[in-house]
Amino acid sequence: MLSGVRTKAFQSGRGPLSPGSRAGLGAALALLALVSAVELADGRGANYIALMVAGPFLAAALASWRVVLGVGAAATVLGASFALAERTVSLSTAVAVAGIALGTAIAAATASVRERQAEQIAELSKLAAVAQQAVLRPLGPQVGTLSVAARYISSTATAEIGGDLYEAVDTPYGVRMIIGDVRGKGLDAVRLASIVLGSYRHVAYERADLRAVVADLDRAVARSVGDEDFVTAALVEERGGTLTIVNCGHPPPLLLRRGAVIPLEPPAPAPPLGFMPVVRPRVERLEPGDRLLLFTDGLGEARRDGEFFPTADRAWRLLGHGTVGDGLASLETALVEWVRGGLDDDIALVLMEYRGSRTGVTAAVPSWEVGATEN
């Protein structure tokens, strides 16, 4: 899984302090004030000044190395002041003051290393964002005659994308969409997702028959994975109000029509890409206002206390209002509330709405239209 770590590098310049530096400085100064108060209350010599070395180390956990040096200088001055207030400076007191100075140097070096690592993570985050846009390009708001919106919900706060994929393109054969889920996680899953999307973006424009598109994608997956790797996928085509779906081991899309939610199960099951699927298309006639939800199995597996999220029961209420983008936002909010913020798997969502054919345009009837699927 590409890491999109949402960690901001701490500011190391001379500008305003970052939130982390302010927090580290405040905590360190509070500690120094507490030790000083205890020392003054004791009044029997510099017995606690060694504790001041914790100040720069506390600052080093959050603040920049410049702030750490400032805190360390203040701690050293305070420690020396308490030491000089004694009639005779003992060896242990002198060692304590020297320890504060040495600890300050170590803490500043630690903060400097942490800052460099934070900057590297921030740079990787930028690269991951670029990679995400290359793999999962933004969809919509309009693709051909369809209003389209997409959403990727990560199962972790530090991830932007994984092995789930989607795409929608306006081709000579109508608007074509794909949604898929790569088996496994990590960089290998992202690599395979990018291979599938790259192949799809090419063959979707070249093949008149969705079954030929599936065959091409199956060969691309087979060339790139091991014997146990695969990609579940559903491919959708809208042409002149005719909706055609082929399914390769993927959760069936949901058709939302006049308050009803209809799972578009395939006529016959087919294995995922990579296992040479032989698919049978399902054909539906669309009505203006129809919406279609494509999703990966993370949605079906989302659960709370062993109870799965009731997607079909709540789909119309969540997805049937406003724009398609509004619908997906409502679904994500309801889903996150259901699982209390703890998803087990990433989820890709695509919602489309059919508004009617282009005026004056007569689309060719698909070769697998009703009555032709047995040929």
Side-chain angles (χ1 to χ4, degrees):
M1 182 177 293
L2 279 178
S3 176
V5 179
R6 300 184 179 116
T7 304
K8 294 183 179 179
F10 294 98
Q11 296 178 5
S12 57
R14 295 182 175 83
L17 293 179
S18 69
S21 288
R22 287 197 296 269
L25 177 60
L29 292 180
L31 176 65
L32 295 183
L34 178 61
V35 175
S36 298
V38 171
E39 195 70 70
L40 289 173
D42 181 67
R44 293 180 300 173
N47 297 319
Y48 304 102
I49 60 172
L51 296 176
M52 291 185 177
V53 73
F57 280 106
L58 182 60
L62 298 170
S64 68
W65 65 269
R66 289 183 174 86
V67 172
V68 174
L69 282 180
V71 170
T76 303
V77 170
L78 281 173
S81 299
F82 283 113
L84 293 175
E86 294 183 325
R87 293 182 180 179
T88 303
V89 179
S90 65
L91 177 61
S92 61
T93 301
V95 169
V97 174
I100 296 173
L102 178 60
T104 297
I106 296 173
T110 301
S112 178
V113 171
R114 179 188 50 74
E115 281 188 285
R116 286 198 298 270
Q117 291 176 338
E119 291 170 357
Q120 292 173 352
I121 291 173
E123 185 64 26
L124 288 175
S125 177
K126 294 178 182 178
L127 293 174
V130 173
Q132 177 188 17
Q133 294 176 359
V135 175
L136 292 181
R137 300 184 299 198
L139 297 186
Q142 194 78 18
V143 182
T145 60
L146 305 178
S147 297
V148 180
R151 218 168 184 90
Y152 195 101
I153 307 174
S154 175
S155 60
T156 62
T158 58
E160 295 290 344
I161 59 173
D164 293 12
L165 59 98
Y166 55 76
E167 181 60 289
V169 290
D170 190 6
T171 75
Y173 311 106
V175 177
R176 286 178 165 178
M177 292 181 285
I178 184 174
I179 191 161
D181 190 355
V182 177
R183 177 186 179 273
K185 296 182 180 295
L187 291 176
D188 287 340
V190 176
R191 179 184 62 84
L192 183 52
S194 66
I195 290 173
V196 173
L197 285 173
S199 299
Y200 177 76
R201 287 164 182 160
H202 173 70
V203 299
Y205 289 92
E206 302 296 327
R207 303 297 189 188
D209 192 320
L210 279 183
R211 290 168 292 193
V213 175
V214 168
D216 287 343
L217 295 180
D218 178 67
R219 286 191 290 270
V221 171
R223 287 193 298 265
S224 307
V225 300
D227 294 337
E228 298 182 357
D229 295 321
F230 57 84
V231 180
T232 67
L235 284 75
V236 176
E237 176 187 287
E238 183 278 320
R239 190 186 332 191
T242 296
L243 183 71
T244 306
I245 304 169
V246 293
N247 196 314
C248 304
H250 199 77
L254 299 179
L255 177 64
L256 286 70
R257 172 179 292 167
R258 299 192 301 272
V261 179
I262 308 167
L264 299 183
E265 299 280 356
L273 299 174
F275 292 151
M276 296 184 292
V278 178
V279 296
R280 291 183 58 190
R282 173 163 181 164
V283 180
E284 298 283 339
R285 293 298 301 181
L286 291 174
E287 301 175 3
D290 283 354
R291 291 189 172 186
L292 186 73
L293 176 66
L294 310 175
F295 57 94
T296 53
D297 59 6
L299 178 60
E301 295 173 357
R303 70 189 75 183
R304 178 182 65 192
D305 300 329
E307 185 178 358
F308 291 100
F309 181 75
T311 303
D313 294 340
R314 302 181 63 180
W316 178 260
R317 188 171 59 217
L318 294 171
L319 300 171
H321 69 92
T323 66
V324 288
D326 295 334
L328 287 186
S330 296
L331 176 58
E332 180 179 2
T333 300
L335 181 64
V336 172
E337 289 178 354
W338 179 270
V339 299
R340 301 188 181 99
L343 289 170
D344 295 327
D345 195 6
D346 295 352
I347 301 172
L349 303 169
V350 178
L351 182 64
M352 55 146 275
E353 180 177 357
Y354 175 69
R355 294 187 175 275
S357 300
R358 297 184 181 95
T359 303
V361 175
T362 302
V365 176
S367 61
W368 52 84
E369 182 57 284
V370 178
T373 57
E374 300 298 328
N375 296 335

